[in-house]
Amino acid sequence: DDSDMVPQDKKLIQLNGVLYPAALCSEENFKALESFEAREDDLMLVSYPKCGTTWSLNLLNDMVQTVYNKDPPNMIQILEFGAPNKYEKLNEEPSPRVLGTHLHYDNIPQSFFNKKIKLLVVFRNPKDTAVSFFHFYNKNPMLPNYSSWDTFFEDFIGGKVCWGSYFDHALAWNKHIDDEDVLLMTFEEMKEDLEAAVKKLSKFCGFSMTDEQVQEVAKKGTFTAMKEKISNIQKEFADIFLRKGEVGDWKNHFSEAQSQEIDAKFEACLAGTKLGEMLKY
Ligand code: A3P
């Protein structure tokens, strides 16, 4: 066991067979989450890491700020992150709360389903997700480093990365894509027409935003605008979470064999499904 060789803040823990960064998630958090109470007007973002979490949380916060004149929270919005006492603090936060999670469908607190909370689910094509995740592992002080892309690629395909297999997440959501309280959006669709994406999201949330308000939120949600805003607050965070923001960066990393391998896995999991069509790349 060489786990002692890894600096404490880069340690991973395994919960129910899935890896998580020990500096962010703990067994206590998962215990506390079992009894987490959602509120009817919570807005919840669900994403596999690197699919557009920071981006869509930013959009949701800006929308809530516009519609409710409510300041965005200063606490980390990802449910499973932080000290276990965060759940008490979350109980005190005024509504509507904007929350996020990378948890697999099966591990999302039951309360969100019982209360029919609106779930925004964001996905991104698996190739760009993998590339983004590789760089994230190497830049984030809470994750171990990968010296080579090839090693990371194997772990990504095999689901041996934090939060588990991209394909497990996609397979689970594919069954719920038409659920009433679910809106599935893609990174690529946000990239293609952000204003249209904000409009769709606003409608799903039941907000009545004017065209000007939609445009304003979209303007604040571009890569450049977000990078500038977040850099002014916390430079490191901006560097770690806003890297390139492009579609197709996978072409600079994948070998032909790797491209074929992930295509085959994608086909085996999602061929002919609605989600499969949405994530064609
Ligand atoms: P890249 O590493 O490909 O640049 P997450 O927030 O889920 O961790 O995802 C991070 C990815 O989303 C990074 O991808 C990041 O650059 C990209 N991203 C964040 N905000 C963005 C924006 N406003 N426009 C485009 N991409 C954005």
Side-chain angles (χ1 to χ4, degrees):
D1 178 16
D2 63 359
S3 61
D4 286 335
M5 304 291 288
V6 182
Q8 185 67 30
D9 64 354
K10 286 182 181 292
K11 254 195 187 153
L12 302 180
I13 49 165
Q14 205 163 10
L15 297 167
N16 302 323
V18 177
L19 291 170
Y20 300 94
L24 290 174
C25 306
S26 67
E27 209 153 338
E28 290 79 46
N29 291 22
F30 283 73
K31 269 248 130 49
L33 276 177
E34 281 170 24
S35 53
F36 184 81
E37 283 294 327
R39 287 188 205 146
E40 252 103 58
D41 54 4
D42 282 340
L43 296 166
M44 172 83 150
L45 174 269
V46 190
S47 63
Y48 185 78
K50 315 325 289 172
C51 286
T53 319
T54 319
W55 195 3
S56 26
L57 281 174
N58 185 76
L59 294 178
L60 283 171
N61 278 325
D62 281 350
M63 285 167 58
V64 165
Q65 189 164 34
T66 305
V67 175
Y68 292 88
N69 210 5
K70 176 183 185 259
D71 285 336
N74 6 347
M75 60 168 26
I76 305 170
Q77 288 156 289
I78 302 295
L79 264 190
E80 63 271 25
F81 290 1
N85 71 352
K86 80 176 270 184
Y87 302 106
E88 288 154 34
K89 290 188 200 149
L90 269 178
N91 285 338
E92 288 156 21
E93 204 195 302
S95 291
R97 299 180 300 189
V98 174
L99 305 167
T101 184
H102 292 317
L103 291 175
H104 184 278
Y105 181 91
D106 293 342
N107 297 327
I108 292 174
Q110 200 48 46
S111 177
F112 286 94
F113 299 111
N114 295 343
K115 295 228 168 94
K116 299 187 183 303
I117 305 308
K118 288 194 194 313
L119 303 174
L120 166 66
V121 183
V122 172
F123 266 99
R124 182 182 193 181
N125 79 72
K127 290 178 174 175
D128 284 336
T129 304
V131 167
S132 183
F133 214 167
F134 168 64
H135 289 291
F136 186 66
Y137 254 92
N138 284 338
K139 277 201 272 188
N140 190 328
M142 290 170 190
L143 290 173
N145 293 343
Y146 272 94
S147 54
S148 90
W149 155 252
D150 292 347
T151 320
F152 179 80
F153 174 80
E154 286 313 318
D155 281 357
F156 183 83
I157 281 267
K160 293 194 204 101
V161 289
C162 285
W163 288 281
S165 161
Y166 170 96
F167 295 96
D168 283 352
H169 283 244
L171 277 169
W173 279 109
N174 194 40
K175 293 189 204 133
H176 296 281
I177 193 166
D178 290 322
D179 287 6
E180 201 184 326
D181 307 302
V182 169
L183 176 68
L184 210 141
M185 299 218 313
T186 63
F187 182 100
E188 291 76 13
E189 113 181 63
M190 283 155 65
K191 199 65 202 172
E192 191 171 308
D193 189 344
L194 190 53
E195 216 176 288
V198 172
K199 210 168 186 163
K200 193 164 156 184
L201 189 49
S202 158
K203 197 173 158 214
F204 172 70
C205 293
F207 297 155
S208 39
M209 287 170 73
T210 65
D211 286 349
E212 286 71 31
Q213 288 175 324
V214 168
Q215 280 160 14
E216 194 57 33
V217 169
K219 221 166 101 185
K220 288 195 276 183
T222 63
F223 184 84
T224 325
M226 267 180 67
K227 180 116 182 171
E228 194 185 322
K229 182 181 90 179
I230 298 177
S231 297
N232 287 336
I233 306 167
Q234 205 185 349
K235 176 103 178 52
E236 282 158 344
F237 187 92
D239 288 344
I240 294 172
F241 283 89
L242 288 116
R243 190 183 61 94
K244 265 192 167 178
E246 296 292 341
V247 177
D249 193 34
W250 67 269
K251 289 173 189 143
N252 300 317
H253 294 76
F254 276 67
S255 69
E256 186 52 37
Q258 287 168 341
S259 177
Q260 282 176 15
E261 189 179 339
I262 203 167
D263 283 350
K265 175 102 187 178
F266 185 83
E267 285 290 306
C269 290
L270 295 164
T273 66
K274 221 184 211 181
L275 183 57
E277 283 306 308
M278 287 177 82
L279 294 172
K280 274 253 163 80
Y281 47 91

